[in-house]
Amino acid sequence: DVKVTQSSRYLVKRTGEKVFLECVQDMDHENMFWYRQDPGLGLRLIYFSYDVKMKEKGDIPEGYSVSREKKERFSLILESASTNQTSMYLCAIRTGGSDTQYFGPGTRLTVL
Amino acid sequence: EDKVVQSPLSLVVHEGDTVTLNCSYEVTNFRSLLWYKQEKKAPTFLFMLTSSGIEKKSGRLSSILDKKELSSILNITATQTGDSAIYLCAVPYAGGTSYGKLTFGQGTILTVHP
């Protein structure tokens, strides 16, 4: 079974803080993704990575950066959190040549 | 730019009803269409439809791909309260280093009352 874990289920931060969200997979999958989910907007892709140290911007990268130093770990960084970044953040991996992505449990981030 | 639109955005039914959820797409190179169910937490994979597999069924859930109409439907028969969830439709991008990234629709919120 594919297993994707995220560092926190719930997180509360203050405006201006630097925030790290971590995603860890237990297999050797190359493609990892960060999405945010907001009511009425579905899932929107922030960044993704197709290998160690390789990354590409998704549809809404502004205000975010990512880091992938090891294959199993993909971090999303909010350099200076703002209230409009309050959202559910979901990490996903893509297995092999399939189009199917498997998701972690999500982190609900509140920025006050 | 790839685009996925789902309808309706929300739906309220009673147990035993049959529902049909819609997903339409505009993509440059169609490869597949995926359906996910999301309850309180992470989306879980339901079906993947492709040109060679346009119909899938699992229990009370079934899905059909209409490549001519660029759309798909997800049917749920004899709904139960446990079917209450957000249903998401997605299509992958098939090109370059962005290969495999998914574009999601807005989701349909299904509420099933006892």
Side-chain angles (χ1 to χ4, degrees), chain A residues 9 31 33 35 37 40-45 48 50 56-59 88 90 94 97-106 108, chain B residues 1 9 31-32 34 36 38 40-45 48 50 86 88 92-93 96-107:
Chain A
R9 290 299 307 277
N31 294 38
F33 305 81
Y35 297 89
Q37 183 176 26
L41 297 177
L43 274 70
R44 294 179 292 166
L45 182 64
F48 66 101
Y50 49 92
E56 269 202 32
K57 293 179 181 178
D59 300 317
M88 169 70 92
L90 291 161
R94 176 168 162 257
S98 168
D99 289 329
T100 309
Q101 290 183 16
Y102 295 91
F103 288 83
R108 188 164 290 283
Chain B
E1 185 180 316
L9 294 184
R31 280 166 45 89
S32 63
L34 294 90
Y36 286 85
Q38 184 180 23
K40 294 291 183 187
K41 36 186 183 171
T44 53
F45 172 71
M48 183 170 70
T50 66
I86 301 173
L88 297 161
Y93 177 78
T97 54
S98 299
Y99 196 93
K101 78 179 182 84
L102 295 176
T103 300
F104 282 86
Q106 319 94 303

Side-chain angles (χ1 to χ4, degrees), chain A residues 1 14 21 28 42 51 61 67 69 72 74 76 94 102 111:
Chain A
D1 269 5
R14 297 211 172 271
L21 303 182
D28 210 24
D51 207 341
S67 171
E69 297 296 318
E72 67 271 18
F74 189 36
L76 179 69
R94 176 168 162 257
Y102 295 91
V111 182

Side-chain angles (χ1 to χ4, degrees), chain A residues 4-71:
Chain A
V4 183
T5 57
Q6 293 184 230
S7 48
S8 307
R9 290 299 307 277
Y10 299 94
L11 210 51
V12 179
K13 295 291 181 181
R14 297 211 172 271
T15 302
E17 279 193 75
K18 191 168 186 175
V19 182
F20 293 86
L21 303 182
E22 288 227 308
C23 175
V24 179
Q25 54 155 318
D26 66 342
M27 299 286 282
D28 210 24
H29 303 294
E30 288 170 346
N31 294 38
M32 298 184 75
F33 305 81
W34 274 107
Y35 297 89
R36 66 176 280 177
Q37 183 176 26
D38 302 287
L41 297 177
L43 274 70
R44 294 179 292 166
L45 182 64
I46 306 171
Y47 266 98
F48 66 101
S49 168
Y50 49 92
D51 207 341
V52 175
K53 297 191 188 293
M54 307 302 283
K55 60 188 180 187
E56 269 202 32
K57 293 179 181 178
D59 300 317
I60 51 164
E62 297 77 20
Y64 303 94
S65 62
V66 289
S67 171
R68 192 158 179 209
E69 297 296 318
K70 292 185 178 181
K71 200 162 197 174

Side-chain angles (χ1 to χ4, degrees), chain B residues 9-25:
Chain B
L9 294 184
S10 66
L11 193 54
V12 180
V13 300
H14 287 94
E15 272 192 319
D17 288 349
T18 293
V19 297
T20 299
L21 310 182
N22 299 282
C23 174
S24 62
Y25 60 89

